Amino acid sequence: MSKPRVAVYKMSSCAGCQLEILNLEPILLDLLGTVELSYFVMARRENEPGPYDIGLVEGAITCGEEIERLKKARQECHLLVALGSCACYGGLPSIKNWQPQRVVESRVYDNLAAIHSTTAYGIDYYVPVDAYLKGCPVSREELLDFIKSTLLGVRPYLRPHSVCVECKLHENVCLFVTDGAICLGPVTTAGCGALCPSRGKPCDGCRGPANDANTVSLAQTMVSYGLHHSDIARYFRKFAGMTPEFSKGAEAV
Amino acid sequence: MSVAYARQAEWGIPQLYLLPAAKLNPFLEELKEYYTVIGPVARGKEFVFAPVAKPEELALSYQTTLLPPKKVLHLPFEVLFSFHEDQQIVETAPEQRPQVIFGIHPCDVRAILILDKAYTAEYPDPYYIAKRRHTLLVALNCAEPGENCFCQSLGTGPDLKEGYDLLLTDLGHGYLIEVGSPWGRELVQTMDLAPAPRVAMVEKQKVLENARRKFHKKLNTQGLPELLEENFRHPIWEELMHDCLACGSCTMVCPTCFCYNVVDKIDLNLKSGKRQREWDSCMLLEYAQVALGHNFRKDRDARVKQRIYHKLVYYEPQFSTLGCVGCGRCIKTCVKKIDITDVISRLRGE
């Protein structure tokens, strides 16, 4: 049987999630024994045409040209996966969505003639998506788990609950209740192994809302910690402001 | 019958010894010769149960720890066995070296007695039992209850009457040691300890009396099942539904919560892998979800209720005890300061 073919696409992003695939270096050869990375511009000089079994799409969609490429990717892939927070929700590029496009564009570019950007969306705004691998960057563990489960035809174990669960499992000192730091862990999807809190840094919510995120209640607590409503909005809009849950949190107070 | 209860049944009146403060460290060194000693050590501003490398690390004046000592008997992550495509299964060999949980507070000992029932009675859990058999409990009576402690209301602290191998009480100048099992007696016999004078028991009572006066929180247990059954539709639940973050922290830090999830971790060759378990929680949305997506406790208030009713109502018929030992960890860990003692007193109209 031929190996399943994988394609990696890049939209508007920092390429960090693609880099995470290369960061699998110690086991990359084992991975290549299991799947064929047929289309991966960052890593291959020559790329093979589709169709592919699994398409990993990195980045948010922020211009018309990307919509076209995305639709083509959807057509040539059996499974289409949103790789990382940008592809899942718009991610960091979506922080521009609360300002007029022209204002944001002129802040970055001198000559606006060739710039035709649109509101930054996750890829499921335009095409159906089969799986979401969250995170900024994506978790290597979860990516591997997803690939292995897919090849076996079983449902991957992607944690739907809050980061607090993993923080407790690792017995971290709670930055929220012990240090009085604002942490988005209680409303953010786990799966990162509580990466930031385990290193003493509060959760920024890069993985987007957990499955029952009560962002309104968390926003009220942030008020009681003395945060201004604009700070609270910034917390919730940093990575996944376009999701209904985080946008509720941003507008709660 | 559970391990702890079988041990306890053979023993009646405790025997008393005195461990002078200066002899604590030599005692620990002696223990470490034969046992892995796990005790409270500092982590930042908090405390955790961890293997004690040097006696000086031991922080016996702790009030509570982040995770309960349950974590050394029922691990947060645990590999159960590894498997291979050709149906070969290799069980994880249990740790042979016995361990001592040193300085465990009465509430946490009581919680372990509850776990003993849950894990050894109807469906014996070989992984738990293997560790429990090799575990000694050197308990420490509480002298300084924390601001969230309410064990006194449940009769699970600040003192302890059963379930320990040795029980220490800090008398200031040294520790009164009460022997609770043959294993415990062996431990003290290896040390050259003087029997405690009678006055030590009076001093112990004073320490405990002093501790009893320091509780800030209480939970009135009178008619608790009836109270909760009558108030299943109380408006407080809707309030909690809006408040609760559904983060699951309260159940993760609970010393009596015993639920777990089982996950297979497949190797990249897709032919072998490991079966693992890790703590799970009824506070999480996916917990009560079944095939085809139906969820029995979709609403947050249903899950908050499940947690509180399970601890305070449903444990009783199953295990003949309440499921809460008043350690206060769930209150402490809650970002929203949801407080089980406050919920009960509000249901009582107080």
Side-chain angles (χ1 to χ4, degrees), chain B residues 56-339:
Chain B
E56 303 80 57
E57 285 176 8
L58 197 73
L60 286 181
S61 56
Y62 79 108
Q63 286 180 333
T64 187
T65 51
L66 289 170
L67 286 183
K70 135 184 128 172
K71 72 168 190 177
V72 303
L73 298 170
H74 174 42
L75 312 183
F77 298 96
E78 183 166 29
V79 176
L80 306 180
F81 55 81
S82 57
F83 53 83
H84 195 270
E85 196 181 39
D86 62 12
Q87 312 224 323
Q88 188 196 354
I89 287 177
V90 182
E91 295 273 351
T92 309
E95 173 68 52
Q96 286 303 311
R97 188 173 157 89
Q99 56 188 8
V100 174
I101 308 181
F102 199 96
I104 172 175
H105 281 161
C107 58
D108 285 337
V109 174
R110 301 299 291 255
I112 287 178
L113 298 184
I114 293 172
L115 291 181
D116 283 347
K117 293 183 186 183
Y119 281 129
T120 65
E122 202 173 346
Y123 301 101
D125 183 299
Y127 309 100
Y128 178 88
I129 291 172
K131 287 190 272 296
R132 183 69 172 101
R133 281 227 171 91
H134 285 84
T135 305
L136 270 81
L137 302 181
V138 176
L140 173 70
N141 274 325
C142 255
E144 279 291 333
E147 57 172 332
N148 296 312
C149 297
F150 56 99
C151 57
Q152 178 164 234
S153 311
L154 301 163
T156 52
D159 61 333
L160 184 63
K161 293 190 177 62
E162 56 168 9
Y164 55 84
D165 292 289
L166 291 180
L167 174 64
L168 312 185
T169 309
D170 188 352
L171 303 177
H173 52 85
Y175 294 90
L176 172 69
I177 300 185
E178 292 168 66
V179 176
S181 75
W183 210 352
R185 187 169 59 177
E186 266 175 49
L187 281 186
V188 283
Q189 277 172 346
T190 57
M191 288 295 290
D192 182 25
L193 291 180
R198 251 186 225 179
V199 69
M201 277 307 266
V202 180
E203 287 178 51
K204 171 192 162 183
Q205 291 311 326
K206 279 188 185 162
V207 169
L208 290 172
E209 267 314 306
N210 203 22
R212 283 196 187 96
R213 280 199 294 269
K214 289 183 183 165
F215 281 91
H216 302 286
K217 286 194 191 296
K218 65 174 189 340
L219 191 153
N220 181 354
T221 56
Q222 209 183 0
L224 207 48
E226 293 81 1
L227 176 83
L228 283 162
E229 272 158 23
E230 283 163 14
N231 286 293
F232 204 75
R233 307 253 174 258
H234 195 281
I236 193 172
W237 303 120
E238 200 184 323
E239 215 177 286
L240 288 173
M241 174 177 75
H242 293 304
D243 234 16
C244 173
L245 298 173
C247 69
S249 293
C250 48
T251 40
M252 286 288 138
V253 300
C254 177
T256 64
C257 274
F258 47 73
C259 287
Y260 56 82
N261 188 14
V262 177
V263 200
D264 284 345
K265 292 282 178 189
I266 313 290
D267 298 334
L268 205 47
N269 59 21
L270 305 182
K271 289 180 166 55
S272 58
K274 289 189 199 76
R275 179 157 294 179
Q276 285 184 184
R277 72 174 173 188
E278 60 186 51
W279 295 356
D280 201 354
S281 159
C282 61
M283 284 303 301
L284 306 177
L285 178 62
E286 72 273 16
Y287 181 88
Q289 186 174 315
V290 292
L292 297 179
H294 181 72
N295 197 321
F296 289 97
R297 285 194 287 270
K298 199 158 164 284
D299 299 320
R300 218 152 35 233
D301 56 340
R303 301 202 294 281
V304 176
K305 266 200 252 186
Q306 164 63 22
R307 173 170 85 90
I308 294 179
Y309 277 67
H310 191 212
K311 298 289 169 199
L312 301 180
V313 184
Y314 311 147
Y315 262 74
E316 187 88 50
Q318 208 180 350
F319 302 124
S320 324
T321 171
L322 289 179
C324 175
V325 294
C327 72
R329 287 187 180 91
C330 58
I331 305 172
K332 185 173 183 214
T333 199
C334 184
V335 168
K336 297 299 292 184
K337 299 274 160 273
I338 294 171
D339 180 339

Side-chain angles (χ1 to χ4, degrees), chain A residues 185-250:
Chain A
V187 294
T188 300
T189 314
C192 52
L195 194 62
C196 298
S198 301
R199 283 149 189 81
K201 191 186 166 302
C203 173
D204 261 355
C206 80
R207 298 177 60 84
N211 60 2
D212 192 24
N214 189 352
T215 46
V216 174
S217 179
L218 188 68
Q220 284 157 358
T221 300
M222 289 163 139
V223 173
S224 72
Y225 272 58
L227 264 71
H228 190 264
H229 69 86
S230 61
D231 296 327
I232 296 172
R234 268 197 291 275
Y235 265 104
F236 282 113
R237 284 176 185 164
K238 188 166 176 184
F239 288 98
M242 297 295 278
T243 59
E245 295 87 347
F246 277 17
S247 95
K248 257 190 237 163

Side-chain angles (χ1 to χ4, degrees), chain A residues 13-65:
Chain A
S13 65
C14 71
C17 293
Q18 291 187 73
L19 200 55
E20 284 300 278
I21 301 174
L22 297 177
N23 281 343
L24 286 168
E25 199 179 338
I27 54 151
L28 197 56
L29 288 178
D30 295 329
L31 180 66
L32 293 176
T34 311
V35 296
E36 182 78 42
L37 283 170
S38 306
Y39 178 84
F40 189 2
V41 176
M42 190 193 230
R44 288 184 65 132
R45 192 170 295 134
E46 280 166 33
N47 289 279
E48 296 159 15
Y52 313 106
D53 296 286
I54 304 173
L56 305 171
V57 183
E58 180 202 68
I61 305 300
T62 59
C63 62
E65 179 262 332

Side-chain angles (χ1 to χ4, degrees), chain A residues 93-115:
Chain A
S94 72
I95 54 175
K96 71 168 183 167
N97 293 356
W98 286 271
Q99 291 172 48
Q101 287 294 341
R102 297 299 282 183
V103 174
V104 185
E105 287 170 3
S106 58
R107 206 175 281 171
V108 181
Y109 302 102
D110 284 334
N111 181 1
L112 299 182
I115 307 297

